[in-house]
Amino acid sequence: MNKGLLIVLSGPSGVGKGTVCTELRRRHPELIYSVSATTRSPREGERDGVNYFFKTREHFQHMIATDALLEYAEYVGNYYGTPREFVEKTLAEGKDIILEIEVQGALKVKEKFPEGVFVFLLPPSLNELKQRIVGRGTETQATIDHRLSVAVEEMNLLYHYDYAVVNDQIDSACSRIASIITAEHCKRERFLHELFRELQELTPAQNGTER
Ligand code: 5GP
């Protein structure tokens, strides 16, 4: 059985990764979502085990020490990380899994899973990005300023990704990501191994069974 695809959706802070990912999952319920662990406090309406696994710093550090995370990053004073086992199990079952994570973590995933599909979400413009960070209304001014400077640095990391998707409209951004996933499933490498195996079975000479 073919392994599932590991899809990493990343991009600068405030570009709308969360919104696009939620809509993509609504449209494609077959896409498995990797719930991250974090040390930040839950926002209103967020549920443990659904949006994040909310952890104490001590528990998170224990997860790091026991290699329970595929990657982790410290972002604006909090830890965020991807639980490893769930990702590996899902891929082995042949299912696609999507990670919605910030750029440093995405680069670490790329080191371990270079065969992953790395999608960078771009804002329609830098001004738009600023409006989105300010407009979220849930953060203090100091946090907003920090997030803005981080976002500009993050834009430079586009180079490491396989695909760039402009988040101009959620609908079309989702459609483009879905097309990328479809195209990745059609890569010839995903068929070669199985095809050669079947061909060998069909060709008696190569099995040594020819008379
Ligand atoms: P927020 O606090 O707004 O939910 O998330 C802050 C940032 O952390 C977002 O850019 C989000 O994509 C990122 N993030 C969420 N989960 C993970 C994770 O498991 N690993 C990493 N590296 N980043 C994450």
Side-chain angles (χ1 to χ4, degrees):
M1 180 173 56
N2 250 327
K3 273 179 83 180
L5 292 175
L6 173 71
I7 301 136
V8 178
L9 181 62
S10 194
S13 171
V15 77
K17 299 188 287 292
T19 316
V20 168
C21 191
T22 303
E23 175 57 17
L24 191 67
R25 289 169 57 207
R26 195 189 62 76
R27 289 191 191 185
H28 298 276
E30 74 283 4
L31 202 54
I32 309 289
Y33 178 64
S34 159
V35 178
S36 297
T38 185
T39 58
R40 87 149 161 75
S41 316
R43 295 195 185 115
E44 213 183 308
E46 285 185 333
R47 285 193 292 143
D48 187 43
V50 176
N51 306 92
Y52 283 104
F53 295 108
F54 294 100
K55 304 286 181 195
T56 60
R57 259 187 117 73
E58 291 68 37
H59 194 154
F60 199 99
Q61 273 156 355
H62 177 72
M63 291 176 88
I64 296 172
T66 54
D67 204 24
L69 298 171
L70 181 61
E71 61 74 36
Y72 70 93
E74 198 157 8
Y75 179 83
V76 200
N78 285 301
Y79 280 128
Y80 294 83
T82 305
R84 172 199 298 282
E85 230 178 76
F86 183 70
V87 172
E88 290 176 348
K89 178 174 149 283
T90 306
L91 292 174
E93 286 169 358
K95 296 177 194 155
D96 295 345
I97 186 162
I98 187 159
L99 276 56
E100 183 256 292
I101 61 177
E102 55 71 62
V103 286
Q104 299 300 334
L107 293 186
K108 286 188 217 153
V109 175
K110 198 177 175 188
E111 283 169 22
K112 293 181 185 163
F113 281 91
E115 72 278 23
V117 183
F118 293 83
V119 181
F120 195 89
L121 207 57
L122 282 169
S125 71
L126 282 181
N127 199 39
E128 180 100 358
L129 182 65
K130 181 176 173 184
Q131 294 314 317
R132 287 185 195 182
I133 292 174
V134 174
R136 185 144 60 185
T138 51
E139 320 291 350
T140 64
Q141 186 59 45
T143 305
I144 289 172
D145 289 346
H146 186 80
R147 286 198 170 199
L148 268 176
S149 63
V150 170
V152 171
E153 279 175 34
E154 289 171 336
M155 290 287 287
N156 290 320
L157 299 173
L158 168 63
Y159 176 77
H160 299 277
Y161 288 74
D162 302 308
Y163 298 94
V165 170
V166 177
N167 186 18
D168 43 6
Q169 303 264 324
I170 293 170
D171 257 15
S172 48
C174 285
S175 300
R176 273 173 268 152
I177 296 169
S179 303
I180 290 168
I181 296 172
T182 304
E184 286 288 331
H185 272 286
C186 300
K187 281 262 173 86
R188 65 164 182 242
E189 289 76 13
R190 293 180 64 80
F191 295 89
L192 283 178
H193 182 74
E194 187 62 12
L195 249 149
F196 274 124
R197 199 185 58 73
E198 282 179 23
L199 268 174
Q200 271 189 339
E201 279 176 10
L202 282 174
T203 318
Q206 291 180 1
N207 276 341
T209 51
E210 196 181 41
R211 291 194 196 158

